[in-house]
Amino acid sequence: MTSTGQDSATRQRRTRHTPQLPPQDSSATSKRSVKKGAGPHSSPKLADVKKKGKMKKLSQALEDDLIMGFQRLDFNSQRRLVFGTGLVFDEQLNDFHCLWDDSFPEGPERLHAIKEQLLLEGLPGRCVSFQARFAEKEELMLVHSLEYIDLMETTQYMNEGELRKLASTYDSVYLHPNSYSCACLATGSVLRLVDAVLRDEIRNGMAVIRPPGHHAQHSLMDGYCMFNHVAVAARYAQKKHRIERVLIVDWDVHHGQGTQFIFDQDPSVVYFSIHRYEQGRFWPHLKASNWSATGFGPGQGRTINVAWNKVGMRDADYIAAFLRILLPIAFEFQPQLVLVAAGFDALQGDPKGEMSTTPAGFAHLTHYLMGLAEGKLILSLEGGYNLHALAKGVSASLHTLLGDPCPILEFPGTPCLSARISISCTLEAHEPFWEILMGAVDPLDEGDSEEDRLEEEQEEQCWKDVTLTVDTWPVLQNRTGLVYDEKMMTHCNLWDNHHPETPQRILRIMCHLEELGLAARCLILPARPALDAEILNCHRAKYLERLRDTEKMKTRDLHREGGNFDSIYICPSTFSCAKLAAGSACRLVEAVLSGEVLNGIAIVRPPGHHAEPGSACGFCFFNSVAVAARHAQDIVRRPMRILILDWDIHHGNGTQHIFEDDPSVLYMSLHRYDRGTFFPMGDEGASTQVGRAAGLGYTVNVPWNGPRMTDADYLAAWHRLILPVAYEFNPELVLVSAGFDAAQGDPLGGCHLTPDGYAHLTHQLMALANGRIILILEGGYNLTSISESMAACTHSLLGDPPPLLSLLRPPHPEALAAICDTIQAHHRFWRSLRLMRMVNQEECCSSKSVTKTANPVPAKGMTTSKGRVLEPSMRETIATIPAKESTLGQAKAKILKAQDQSSEPAARGATVDLPTTKEPLGGATMDQHASAAATETICNQTTSEEAVGETEPIPTPPASYEDKHGIGAPPVQGTTAQQSPDLIESLSTLKLSSGTQEAPESEEGLPGEAARGGQEMNSLMLTQGFGDFNTQDVFYAVTPLSWCPHLIAVCPIPAAGLDMAQPCMTCGTHQENWVCLTCYEVYCSRYINAHMIHHHEASTHPLVLSCVDLSTWCYLCQAYVHHQDLQDAKNAAHQNKFGEGMSRSH
């Protein structure tokens, strides 16, 4: 995408805007050469600088400026390092289970299986153990209502019948006398880890807890969950530790609607969920679970849903969602704490999720999250119901938290077409809110989709034979190897003391590593010269001998010989130093492949990536990284897959030519190109250079057409291109041509990468190849820049979390254009690059994208919550709710069984969850949760044959099971721990007439007053108990908001008082009118002519009072409100309507 930005008025992004870095004239500092075949010469401007003797002063001035720049950026390479992984595991969490259903999937055996696996692998002994603690009521109240907490507390004193009755009023839950205490203990366990992480006692942690929590809402149990652990933890971190930005990642296969509803108006919390959706057919059946839900008001853009529309999703799909969506947004958001709702029911073999991810895949996801928030990461266990898979998934994530390398993915594949469509839709939905996503999706050539389907069919056959593997984790005494030899400093320019490729480069790097204590944490490996046979793997024998002859040449001959090459100087020790540099890289390869170390750095010179098979070029003699790659393949005696990543600012022309026809080596380079005018000049580094013969597609060039590229530009390339292709290639070894001349302050590169940026690039590459990555020094000519940058990379290799990035601006349009050009050149070779912009976003929900569905439900059953099936006999007693029946507001609606079942056999908690109608709010679609909990009274929707066989979304009845933005309350309020009430009989409910008039079709999209406002009061009956009612009746318990932030808009009552019989001021109707509580004008409701809605849209007045039933509705909260500030208006209305004031009970 080549657009250079859009008007801020149309994009309306609410992100940090940092000043642009000052322009830099790179022409005076470019390393330039000529095209192949022309006579060698130096850049005139660089030569002029050298002749005037200004190079030293210029370099010193740049270095001084750079040091000051680092101070302004608050870069602290000696930052205090925190170590240790916390683990909370308490046997008390197993003290509850379902009393009436032994087969309920959420049971104590889940934690037993995890404990056994962790002990088997010796992981508890490597962790810092923390004692679980109980969450206090005040802590739970950060998210949940006091009434709801009190109700849950009373469950400790209930008998089985009472517990079962209360549980039946919720969806997919059971209750036990110990449920409350265990839920408090689970939440407290996460809070204990929050304290430890934010006090720097540990780096990260995992809470192995139950019950799960991410479905729990403000005042509502749901989906096995009582209290929302990660939500409470986020609020706790903000309140107690003054954390400003929290990222919540939910990878449970079920959407965490509870967490989403709690934070969807909060800009300080980003909620990212990746879950099974299947166009609403999968629990919890919410349209709010789809990609189109992005949050409300100030929280717009902070809710991010990646909704899978087929089963069988694999590691590649999840990793693609992380790379393309989560990580870019996280780098712009810059969280200070990351909380993970870590469900493992997406693992292969789980009966609920029916996905095909592996434990290794979750290790990769964990690794990427460890690069955020300075490593402050906490995983809180949610779902997972295949005991073996669950145990392996928890183990893999804990291994990664402990710093163990990510296992190589045995079958990485590529993200499937359905996944890419879901990712594209989410990207397009969020592009208006995040600058870093600009141009993230571009249209591709037609025909890709059909080609994808054919390739996926072939891949599917291979995948069928794959089983859940038992991952092995290497046990290493030393993590990072380091090769350095001061002998390489003897290579020097005898004629120019100010040449940028100076011997001091490696000395300054090594000294800095020693100063920071990093060298002492590495295993120092002895350097050795490369053998002739190793060099001849990449270079011609004639060229090798030509360089060997330079050892005996006189000074004048050396000068002449250097002039025969491009940008080369030669001294008597050049040959031995070049061999030592290449041999050092080989020594490090040997150490990594043998398991002596996991990764390493080679501090070597002269550099190598410009060296051609038969000639020296650009300060380079032997191509060290190429020699090391061939040596690795010789060691394993096969063409092992090797990724060579070249981030030197100059294109590695030599490396490209050596491997351009070899599919076993993927060469990827990011470099300045300047349309062919930047060294080494010509078109070799163009995006159109993609390799040749068998190596077609294995040369990937990202050519920057100008200076000033920053961390954001490189990260954009990483997430959109480098890592997706790398995962598809699935390397066994990663070699980095680690030039640091793209660093801020470099005299040749003219770019602005920071040491922190290099740390993040390194960390993300470490997810590949089982962590086997080697950095080999290439260029970099500002001594401070290269020292700080190599130190930052070494920190990452040693497992230290990267620092927060400072002043991260959006990617530069020129950078996006370069990335897009490369994607266009390579998408025919790499399916992972085939993201497509949806011309019609309905494609995201189209059945065409669903190529595989869940296993069919038996024909005589009905799919219910979390996969349960109703018995055939139950379908005969199902009550029908009109498809567009209005409800009493955007409040919680529960369908309760109307008779006492305490003596009846268990009905297995059968429920059905359905999507609901949508109410537009501020231009966004507000989807509410319909959850009908019943045993005999269940919404009659469709048979299982219709639900599974149909490809269209489920119909949308409006019955709202809502607990959003603080709406809703438990069935019983105000009960205490000392009471044991008859719960069901004490519920106060409102009965809705089944004959309520439907809203006109033309008003479907209007943000109305939720309910009919009591137009037909004779159809509403207030009741205390159920004794006098038919068992087929449907009841709704409605609780308004006890407060809303818009109460300040309520104005004093006019001196003339209120006239509740006043007609609509626009159309003159007396039917169902509302009074605006700001200006006290009267207009009709949405169900008449919608004039009150039009008044709200024109005036933005939020609160209105019903002339029929005196209820108060807030348009901005989309909820009923009952508060003391409304009492004067309500009392005046009551006085006018009935001739007397309201009683205190009102």
Side-chain angles (χ1 to χ4, degrees):
M1 184 172 181
T2 57
S3 63
T4 57
Q6 301 180 17
D7 183 27
S8 60
T10 60
R11 298 190 65 83
Q12 298 182 356
R13 292 185 172 93
R14 303 180 312 281
T15 51
R16 300 183 307 281
H17 294 276
T18 57
Q20 293 293 323
L21 293 167
Q24 178 175 334
D25 181 8
S26 64
S27 60
T29 56
S30 300
K31 180 171 69 171
R32 302 182 66 85
S33 181
V34 294
K35 295 184 179 180
K36 223 170 184 181
H41 69 277
S42 299
S43 165
K45 292 186 178 180
L46 184 56
D48 289 343
V49 171
K50 291 180 179 179
K51 287 179 182 178
K52 293 178 182 178
K54 302 287 187 182
M55 195 64 177
K56 184 174 183 180
K57 294 181 181 179
L58 176 63
S59 178
Q60 187 61 49
L62 284 171
E63 191 164 336
D64 292 342
D65 290 343
L66 182 65
I67 293 173
M68 294 180 64
F70 283 155
Q71 292 172 347
R72 287 194 298 270
L73 292 173
D74 195 27
F75 176 76
N76 181 16
S77 56
Q78 299 189 49
R79 62 187 185 275
R80 179 171 177 262
L81 296 176
V82 179
F83 300 93
T85 294
L87 178 65
V88 179
F89 190 110
D90 196 306
E91 294 288 352
Q92 295 180 73
L93 293 170
N94 286 324
D95 291 345
F96 75 102
H97 61 277
C98 185
L99 297 171
W100 53 86
D101 185 355
D102 292 337
S103 64
F104 205 92
E106 205 298 294
E109 62 276 2
R110 297 175 64 236
L111 297 196
H112 292 319
I114 293 172
K115 179 180 179 180
E116 183 179 342
Q117 184 67 39
L118 298 186
L119 290 173
L120 180 66
E121 300 184 28
L123 295 179
R126 297 175 57 191
C127 298
V128 179
S129 180
F130 286 93
Q131 181 67 42
R133 74 166 177 86
F134 292 94
E136 302 291 337
K137 268 192 180 182
E138 293 74 14
E139 294 166 343
L140 296 175
M141 288 172 61
L142 294 171
V143 166
H144 301 286
S145 70
L146 177 60
E147 294 84 359
Y148 171 68
I149 298 169
D150 286 342
L151 173 64
M152 293 298 104
E153 188 175 30
T154 64
T155 62
Q156 299 176 98
Y157 310 99
M158 295 181 187
N159 59 40
E160 181 177 339
E162 292 171 327
L163 290 168
R164 188 171 175 184
K165 286 181 184 180
L166 180 58
S168 72
T169 68
Y170 298 108
D171 179 16
S172 300
V173 300
Y174 68 84
L175 286 167
H176 183 281
N178 293 333
S179 290
Y180 174 77
S181 61
C182 288
C184 289
L185 194 60
T187 301
S189 298
V190 182
L191 300 187
R192 180 64 188 93
L193 289 179
V194 169
D195 285 334
V197 167
L198 296 181
R199 290 171 181 164
D200 289 338
E201 298 174 28
I202 53 174
R203 178 180 295 170
N204 53 47
M206 175 179 279
V208 182
I209 56 176
R210 59 181 291 267
H214 67 144
H215 298 307
Q217 302 175 38
H218 175 74
S219 300
L220 183 72
M221 287 188 74
D222 207 353
Y224 312 165
C225 304
M226 178 179 289
F227 299 133
N228 198 309
H229 316 308
V230 294
V232 174
R235 287 288 183 239
Y236 178 81
Q238 290 179 322
K239 180 178 180 181
K240 182 173 182 179
H241 296 279
R242 301 293 187 266
I243 292 297
E244 296 178 357
R245 298 179 305 279
V246 179
L247 169 63
I248 297 177
V249 177
D250 191 335
W251 67 43
D252 190 282
V253 81
H254 300 92
H255 177 233
Q257 79 277 24
T259 312
Q260 175 171 312
F261 293 161
I262 289 166
F263 295 111
D264 62 3
Q265 293 191 73
D266 187 346
S268 70
V269 177
V270 166
Y271 174 69
F272 173 90
S273 177
I274 182 169
H275 52 266
R276 182 176 165 189
Y277 181 63
E278 292 193 281
Q279 290 86 30
R281 290 196 296 271
F282 191 67
W283 197 91
H285 308 296
L286 299 180
K287 289 186 178 179
S289 305
N290 205 2
W291 56 269
S292 55
T294 60
F296 302 104
Q300 271 199 305
R302 297 319 203 245
T303 294
I304 306 159
N305 286 318
V306 181
W308 296 144
N309 286 314
K310 59 176 279 189
V311 297
M313 292 298 188
R314 305 197 286 263
D315 295 334
D317 304 309
Y318 279 75
I319 291 171
F322 266 51
L323 296 180
R324 299 305 298 263
I325 303 173
L326 174 61
L327 292 183
I329 288 176
F331 275 107
E332 184 170 340
F333 181 62
Q334 288 294 295
Q336 298 162 293
L337 175 67
V338 180
L339 301 172
V340 182
F344 294 93
D345 37 8
L347 284 167
Q348 187 178 11
D350 190 279
K352 299 291 182 184
E354 297 184 79
M355 296 297 178
S356 298
T357 62
T358 68
F362 281 103
H364 284 250
L365 302 185
T366 304
H367 175 83
Y368 284 118
L369 296 179
M370 290 169 65
L372 304 174
E374 296 183 291
K376 293 178 172 62
L377 171 66
I378 297 171
L379 274 60
S380 175
L381 181 64
E382 296 285 352
Y385 306 100
N386 177 304
L387 299 184
H388 174 68
L390 169 64
K392 296 296 292 184
V394 171
S395 167
S397 294
L398 189 54
H399 269 289
T400 307
L401 290 175
L402 286 163
D404 295 341
C406 298
I408 193 167
L409 300 176
E410 292 193 8
F411 192 81
T414 58
C416 67
L417 178 60
S418 179
R420 296 201 303 276
I421 290 174
S422 295
I423 291 170
S424 296
C425 289
T426 302
L427 284 172
E428 290 188 52
H430 284 272
E431 190 177 6
F433 308 113
W434 301 97
E435 290 181 316
I436 205 163
L437 296 183
M438 183 171 61
V441 183
D442 285 291
L444 298 178
D445 298 336
E446 294 183 4
D448 284 333
S449 296
E450 184 58 33
E451 182 182 344
D452 283 342
R453 286 190 174 92
L454 294 175
E455 291 177 358
E456 282 186 22
E457 288 177 4
Q458 297 174 356
E459 194 173 277
E460 201 72 29
Q461 297 302 317
C462 301
W463 181 254
K464 288 179 180 179
D465 298 328
V466 177
T467 58
L468 195 68
T469 57
V470 178
D471 302 306
T472 57
W473 302 85
V475 179
L476 300 170
Q477 294 295 325
N478 299 284
R479 182 182 179 93
T480 302
L482 188 156
V483 180
Y484 168 79
D485 196 318
E486 63 183 12
K487 293 177 184 177
M488 286 179 276
M489 293 180 62
T490 60
H491 167 65
C492 61
N493 192 321
L494 301 176
W495 305 274
D496 184 357
N497 292 331
H498 306 304
H499 192 281
E501 209 292 280
T502 170
Q504 296 299 314
R505 295 172 61 242
I506 60 173
L507 178 63
R508 283 285 294 272
I509 292 174
M510 189 63 189
C511 288
H512 193 55
L513 296 182
E514 290 175 341
E515 289 170 3
L516 299 178
L518 296 175
R521 295 172 60 191
C522 299
L523 176 65
I524 306 299
L525 299 171
R528 69 164 178 85
L531 302 176
D532 286 358
E534 294 166 347
I535 293 174
L536 291 174
N537 278 333
C538 299
H539 296 281
R540 297 173 189 147
K542 185 176 180 180
Y543 171 63
L544 174 62
E545 294 306 317
R546 183 177 179 178
L547 285 186
R548 196 191 309 272
D549 291 342
T550 62
E551 290 185 298
K552 303 174 183 178
M553 285 184 182
K554 296 179 180 179
T555 302
R556 186 192 317 176
D557 296 333
L558 289 171
H559 189 272
R560 184 183 301 112
E561 181 67 358
N564 292 328
F565 300 106
D566 183 1
S567 303
I568 285 295
Y569 69 80
I570 304 176
C571 73
S573 59
T574 294
F575 177 71
S576 61
C577 289
K579 288 189 68 175
L580 198 57
S584 297
C586 291
R587 175 66 185 91
L588 206 45
V589 164
E590 294 164 359
V592 168
L593 294 185
S594 68
E596 188 177 1
V597 294
L598 174 63
N599 54 47
I601 56 173
I603 307 174
V604 296
R605 61 178 295 270
H609 69 142
H610 293 307
E612 301 277 3
S615 66
C617 179
F619 311 164
C620 304
F621 298 90
F622 296 134
N623 199 311
S624 300
V625 72
V627 170
R630 288 294 185 225
H631 184 57
Q633 292 179 330
D634 286 344
I635 291 174
V636 299
R637 298 182 180 180
R638 61 179 176 83
M640 74 181 303
R641 298 183 306 278
I642 298 175
L643 166 63
I644 297 178
L645 194 287
D646 191 337
W647 68 41
D648 189 283
I649 197 62
H650 303 93
H651 177 241
N653 52 291
T655 313
Q656 175 172 308
H657 290 146
I658 291 170
F659 297 110
E660 62 186 347
D661 61 352
D662 186 349
S664 70
V665 177
L666 173 62
Y667 175 69
M668 309 183 84
S669 175
L670 303 94
H671 52 268
R672 270 189 69 178
Y673 181 60
D674 294 8
R675 295 173 178 82
T677 64
F678 197 74
F679 186 89
M681 304 215 303
D683 63 356
E684 296 296 323
S687 61
T688 53
Q689 297 290 327
V690 297
R692 62 182 182 84
L696 205 61
Y698 292 89
T699 294
V700 181
N701 285 315
V702 183
W704 307 134
N705 283 314
R708 295 186 293 276
M709 297 303 170
T710 67
D711 297 336
D713 303 309
Y714 278 76
L715 286 169
W718 246 238
H719 299 149
R720 301 183 187 192
L721 174 62
I722 300 298
L723 289 173
V725 171
Y727 267 105
E728 191 169 345
F729 178 66
N730 198 25
E732 300 167 89
L733 176 67
V734 177
L735 303 176
V736 180
S737 279
F740 295 104
D741 38 8
Q744 183 174 343
D746 190 272
L748 303 187
C751 289
H752 299 290
L753 262 73
T754 67
D756 293 352
Y758 281 114
H760 281 276
L761 299 182
T762 303
H763 174 83
Q764 294 186 18
L765 289 175
M766 290 166 61
L768 303 170
N770 207 192
R772 296 189 294 192
I773 176 174
I774 297 172
L775 273 60
I776 301 170
L777 181 65
E778 296 284 0
Y781 307 101
N782 180 296
L783 300 184
T784 300
S785 296
I786 61 174
S787 300
E788 296 285 3
S789 299
M790 182 61 92
C793 294
T794 306
H795 270 296
S796 290
L797 292 176
L798 286 165
D800 301 336
L804 290 175
L805 286 176
S806 305
L807 305 175
L808 190 66
R809 64 151 175 79
H812 194 281
E814 286 288 341
L816 295 180
I819 296 168
C820 181
D821 288 345
T822 306
I823 290 174
Q824 290 295 327
H826 278 274
H827 76 267
R828 59 190 172 121
F829 307 115
W830 304 98
R831 272 198 290 150
S832 54
L833 300 180
R834 297 177 195 167
L835 285 189
M836 58 202 77
R837 186 173 292 279
M838 299 292 104
V839 177
N840 177 5
Q841 289 196 338
E842 290 183 2
E843 292 181 49
C844 296
C845 299
S846 170
S847 61
K848 294 179 181 178
S849 66
V850 184
T851 57
K852 183 178 179 182
T853 58
N855 294 329
V857 180
K860 292 187 178 181
M862 186 177 194
T863 303
T864 61
S865 58
K866 288 211 171 186
R868 290 179 175 271
V869 178
L870 298 183
E871 295 298 327
S873 60
M874 291 184 178
R875 290 199 288 127
E876 298 176 3
T877 57
I878 291 174
T880 301
I881 297 179
K884 294 182 179 177
E885 179 181 272
S886 60
T887 69
L888 289 182
Q890 302 292 334
K892 180 177 64 176
K894 299 180 184 177
I895 302 175
L896 305 177
K897 188 174 180 183
Q899 65 181 34
D900 189 349
Q901 289 187 331
S902 59
S903 61
E904 293 182 7
R908 304 293 183 190
T911 66
V912 63
D913 296 324
L914 304 166
T916 67
T917 56
K918 47 189 177 184
E919 297 283 346
L921 174 61
T925 297
M926 184 176 184
D927 303 290
Q928 306 298 342
H929 179 196
S931 180
T935 51
E936 293 184 12
T937 309
I938 300 171
C939 298
N940 186 10
Q941 191 56 38
T942 114
T943 66
S944 63
E945 294 170 307
E946 294 167 337
V948 175
E950 243 343 281
T951 57
E952 294 296 319
I954 298 175
T956 51
S960 177
Y961 192 158
E962 168 63 26
D963 190 71
K964 196 158 164 16
H965 317 313
I967 303 170
V972 179
Q973 299 187 28
T975 55
T976 66
Q978 287 72 34
Q979 296 173 324
S980 180
D982 191 344
L983 296 166
I984 302 302
E985 281 69 8
S986 68
L987 293 176
S988 296
T989 62
L990 292 172
K991 177 184 177 184
L992 284 178
S993 168
S994 61
T996 307
Q997 180 180 349
E998 296 183 6
E1001 287 291 339
S1002 60
E1003 299 179 2
E1004 183 69 19
L1006 295 175
E1009 305 87 7
R1012 294 296 312 279
Q1015 177 187 5
E1016 302 175 19
M1017 279 298 292
N1018 58 352
S1019 68
L1020 297 173
M1021 297 176 58
L1022 189 65
T1023 177
Q1024 298 285 338
F1026 299 93
D1028 299 331
F1029 296 96
N1030 190 293
T1031 59
Q1032 297 299 314
D1033 286 338
V1034 177
F1035 303 104
Y1036 296 86
V1038 178
T1039 303
L1041 288 176
S1042 59
W1043 175 87
C1044 98
H1046 311 106
L1047 289 168
I1048 58 174
V1050 177
C1051 292
I1053 302 169
L1058 298 181
D1059 182 3
M1060 303 308 288
Q1062 183 178 345
C1064 171
M1065 298 175 66
T1066 300
C1067 65
T1069 183
H1070 287 271
Q1071 288 186 313
E1072 195 171 346
N1073 289 330
W1074 293 73
V1075 180
C1076 174
L1077 293 181
T1078 300
C1079 63
Y1080 288 92
E1081 295 181 359
V1082 176
Y1083 297 97
C1084 60
S1085 80
R1086 66 170 294 185
Y1087 299 101
I1088 308 302
N1089 293 310
H1091 289 133
M1092 181 56 81
I1093 291 175
H1094 299 153
H1095 172 71
H1096 160 69
E1097 292 172 344
S1099 66
T1100 69
H1101 297 167
L1103 287 152
V1104 292
L1105 176 69
S1106 170
C1107 294
V1108 179
D1109 65 0
L1110 308 189
S1111 61
T1112 306
W1113 175 260
C1114 178
Y1115 284 106
L1116 299 182
C1117 291
Q1118 286 285 289
Y1120 284 104
V1121 182
H1122 183 71
H1123 189 268
Q1124 183 63 36
D1125 291 354
L1126 302 170
Q1127 288 304 102
D1128 288 346
K1130 287 191 174 187
N1131 191 60
H1134 197 276
Q1135 181 72 41
N1136 176 265
K1137 191 174 179 69
F1138 301 107
E1140 60 180 12
M1142 297 178 67
S1143 65
R1144 292 195 174 202
S1145 62
H1146 288 81

